[in-house]
């Protein structure tokens, strides 16, 4: 009978328990990690599709540490159509602040919540905290302005509206309108103006859109001396508005700042570049404007001049029915004043019964206030064109134009040349 040996393997109980503990801890850690990853993802998915408060609460249950979800819930509870639940709204907003103490918007929402519930002292305290947390946020400043406006605090409301006007183009118009309502009739609109160039540019743009001439003038006056220069396009918009509205005095000041470095405006003379000395005619603002008309060529002449270095030459090759007013200039004038209109003209083979003359007319309606004698034929030398004009008391902008009316009687085709120089309105 053979004998078999038996091997016995002993497993320490301590090792088994350690392995089990490690396994359990690993599973717990995996579960925690999974929850940390899956929870926010599920919460975000649910929140994106939530259309009810219950759905939002379900989303928060998956990720209770998301301050944005608590903010959304707080706002929703405060805006319930059937009746706001201010207590629940406050709890969610305060939870959001505990999770993210630096959140200025949460403090702002608390201020709005306290204001709606009638607790103005708490509203002021929360609003001040929001402004301290983010003093340069235009959205917070806007709501701060509205709250101060509702509380009757004009000074604070104006301060915040002024800031929004200066930095936020998107809310600029609304801030402008509300800020203007805060100013009493006897108050200076300059009180709305910021000090820096960007803010003044924004205020000017808003004033132009709303055709607020007092505020636009105040903003322009302060902005014109600051660097960098005002955008040319905005300056033109302002000038065009002034010209459209007949604001001659301010238009003259703006034009002088916008025009090229050469300022061919003589002392006491309302006409810009009446001697045609500039390199070219700008065609906008208060400079000469030339409208292309068939049969009339208009150009600067650097060889013929009554005085100085040049003149304006008109070459005609047209029918006798030519009705011409294609050279003109808007001129800023003093209301109620009498002016003397003068010019020098020269003609060559300009044979017609209806010659060329200068007229002063009102820009709207084209009522003729005065007109000079007309030039025709061939002149031996330069001939004067003259007329007196009285500006109406309610007018600060007139239109000066060259005019040739259709011939009253049959005649041949129109030809020849006319030169114009030394135009003045003094």
């Amino acid at each position: 009978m053979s004998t078999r040996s038996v091997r016995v393997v002993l497993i320490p109980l301590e090792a088994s328990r350690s392995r089990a503990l490690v396994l359990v801890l690993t599973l717990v850690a995996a579960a925690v990690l999974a929850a940390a990853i899956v929870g926010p993802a599920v919460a975000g998915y649910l929140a994106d599709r939530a259309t009810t408060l219950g759905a939002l609460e379900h989303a928060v249950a998956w990720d209770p540490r998301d301050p944005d979800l608590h903010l959304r819930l707080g706002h929703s509870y405060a805006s319930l159509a059937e009746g706001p639940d201010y207590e629940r709204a406050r709890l969610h907003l305060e939870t959001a602040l505990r999770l993210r103490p630096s959140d200025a918007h949460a403090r702002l929402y608390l201020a709005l919540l306290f204001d709606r519930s009638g607790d103005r002292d708490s509203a002021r305290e929360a609003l001040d905290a929001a402004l301290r947390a983010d003093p340069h946020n235009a959205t917070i400043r806007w709501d701060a302005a509205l709250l101060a406006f509702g509380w009757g605090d004009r000074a604070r409301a104006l301060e915040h509206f002024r800031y929004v006007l200066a930095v936020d183009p998107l809310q600029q118009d609304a801030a402008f309108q509300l800020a203007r309502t805060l100013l009493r009739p006897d108050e200076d609109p300059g009180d709305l103006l910021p000090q820096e160039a960007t803010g003044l540019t924004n205020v000017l743009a808003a004033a132009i859109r709303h055709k607020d001439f007092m505020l636009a003038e105040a903003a322009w006056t302060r902005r014109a001396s600051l660097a960098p220069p005002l955008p040319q396009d905005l300056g033109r918009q302002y000038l065009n508005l002034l010209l459209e509205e007949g604001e001659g005095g301010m238009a003259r000041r703006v034009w002088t700042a916008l025009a090229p470095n050469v300022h061919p405006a003589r002392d006491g003379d309302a006409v810009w570049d009446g001697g045609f000395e500039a390199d070219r005619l700008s065609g906008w603002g208060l400079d000469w404007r030339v409208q292309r008309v068939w049969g009339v060529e208009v150009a600067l002449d650097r060889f013929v001049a009554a005085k100085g270095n040049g003149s304006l030459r008109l070459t005609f090759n047209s029918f006798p029915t030519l009705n011409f007013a294609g050279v003109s200039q808007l001129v800023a004038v003093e209301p109620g004043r009498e002016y003397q209109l003068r010019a020098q003209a020269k003609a060559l083979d300009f044979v017609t019964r209806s010659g060329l003359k200068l007229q002063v007319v009102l820009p709207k309606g084209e009522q003729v206030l005065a007109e000079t004698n007309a030039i025709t034929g061939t002149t031996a030398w330069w001939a004067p064109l003259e007329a007196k004009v009285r500006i109406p008391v309610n007018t600060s902008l007139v239109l000066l134009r060259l005019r040739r009316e259709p011939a009253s009687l049959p005649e041949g085709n129109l030809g020849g040349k006319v030169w114009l120089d030394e135009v003045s309105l003094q």
Side-chain angles (χ1 to χ4, degrees), residues 32-46 58-64 69:
V32 171
L33 182 60
I37 296 174
V38 174
V42 174
Y45 178 85
L46 294 174
H58 187 46
V60 170
W62 275 93
D63 188 10
L69 288 179

Side-chain angles (χ1 to χ4, degrees), residues 74-414:
H75 186 268
S76 298
Y77 276 119
S79 307
L80 286 173
E82 61 273 17
D85 189 336
Y86 292 130
E87 183 59 26
R88 286 192 179 184
R90 181 182 62 80
L91 289 174
H92 280 289
L93 292 176
E94 289 177 345
T95 300
L97 272 175
R98 283 196 301 271
L99 294 170
R100 191 164 58 199
S102 62
D103 194 330
H105 282 95
R107 299 185 186 280
L108 173 64
Y109 293 156
L110 273 175
L112 295 171
L113 178 67
F114 287 136
D115 179 66
R116 290 179 190 175
S117 59
D119 188 352
R120 185 166 294 182
D121 290 338
S122 296
R124 289 181 187 274
E125 183 179 345
L127 179 60
D128 290 341
L131 290 169
R132 285 194 301 270
D134 194 354
H136 302 297
N137 189 302
T139 302
I140 293 176
R141 288 282 197 142
W142 169 256
D143 284 311
L146 293 179
L147 284 172
F149 180 70
W151 298 337
D153 191 342
R154 290 179 67 257
R156 291 196 69 184
L158 276 174
E159 174 191 347
H160 297 309
F161 280 135
R162 190 182 298 115
Y163 186 88
V164 175
L165 275 170
V167 304
D168 190 356
L170 296 179
Q171 298 191 94
Q172 196 176 83
D173 284 355
F176 176 87
Q177 295 282 34
L178 286 172
R180 282 301 262 147
T181 64
L182 291 177
L183 290 180
R184 291 186 289 266
D186 59 334
E187 288 185 304
D188 183 0
D191 289 344
L192 290 178
L193 299 180
Q195 300 300 316
E196 73 282 359
T198 300
L200 288 168
T201 300
N202 290 338
V203 172
L204 177 59
I208 291 171
R209 284 194 297 273
H210 294 283
K211 296 186 177 182
D212 190 319
F213 292 99
M214 289 182 63
L215 187 59
E217 181 175 353
W220 168 270
T221 301
R222 295 191 186 186
R223 178 64 179 83
S225 61
L226 299 180
L230 187 75
Q232 186 80 359
D233 181 63
L234 184 60
R236 285 200 179 199
Q237 288 181 39
Y238 183 34
L239 178 61
N240 289 336
L241 175 63
L242 292 168
L243 295 177
E244 289 170 6
E245 298 298 323
E247 298 288 337
M250 190 61 196
R252 180 79 173 191
R253 292 194 289 275
V254 174
W255 167 250
T256 301
L258 294 178
N261 293 331
V262 177
H263 299 293
R266 293 167 290 196
D267 292 341
D269 186 3
V271 176
W272 184 267
D273 191 19
F276 302 99
E277 300 295 322
D279 293 336
R280 61 185 179 87
L281 307 180
S282 298
W284 64 282
L286 295 180
D287 200 357
W288 293 101
R289 305 179 185 208
V290 177
Q291 179 183 356
R292 293 177 64 89
V293 177
W294 182 87
V296 184
E297 178 188 342
V298 182
L300 292 173
D301 193 322
R302 292 300 173 228
F303 298 97
V304 178
K307 185 179 179 181
N309 298 318
S311 63
L312 187 71
R313 182 184 68 240
L314 295 91
T315 303
F316 294 88
N317 182 18
S318 184
F319 298 115
T321 55
L322 174 68
N323 188 3
F324 179 76
V327 176
S328 63
Q329 180 181 131
L330 288 167
V331 181
V333 291
E334 297 178 21
R337 177 182 163 183
E338 184 177 83
Y339 286 86
Q340 182 73 36
L341 173 62
R342 293 187 178 91
Q344 296 290 317
K346 182 180 179 180
L348 176 64
D349 296 330
F350 186 54
V351 180
T352 175
R353 294 183 180 90
S354 179
L356 195 66
K357 57 190 174 183
L358 280 168
Q359 288 182 333
V360 177
V361 303
L362 296 180
K364 295 182 179 180
E366 297 190 354
Q367 176 187 344
V368 177
L369 300 178
E371 62 182 23
T372 67
N373 50 303
I375 188 166
T376 60
T378 298
T379 59
W381 193 237
W382 292 89
L385 304 180
E386 296 182 334
K388 287 186 178 182
V389 55
R390 171 72 67 175
I391 306 299
V393 293
N394 59 346
T395 300
S396 63
L397 188 73
V398 296
L399 181 70
L400 175 63
R401 69 184 183 185
L402 271 172
R403 185 82 168 96
R404 194 272 174 177
E405 297 168 341
S408 57
L409 296 174
E411 62 181 31
N413 286 342
L414 195 63

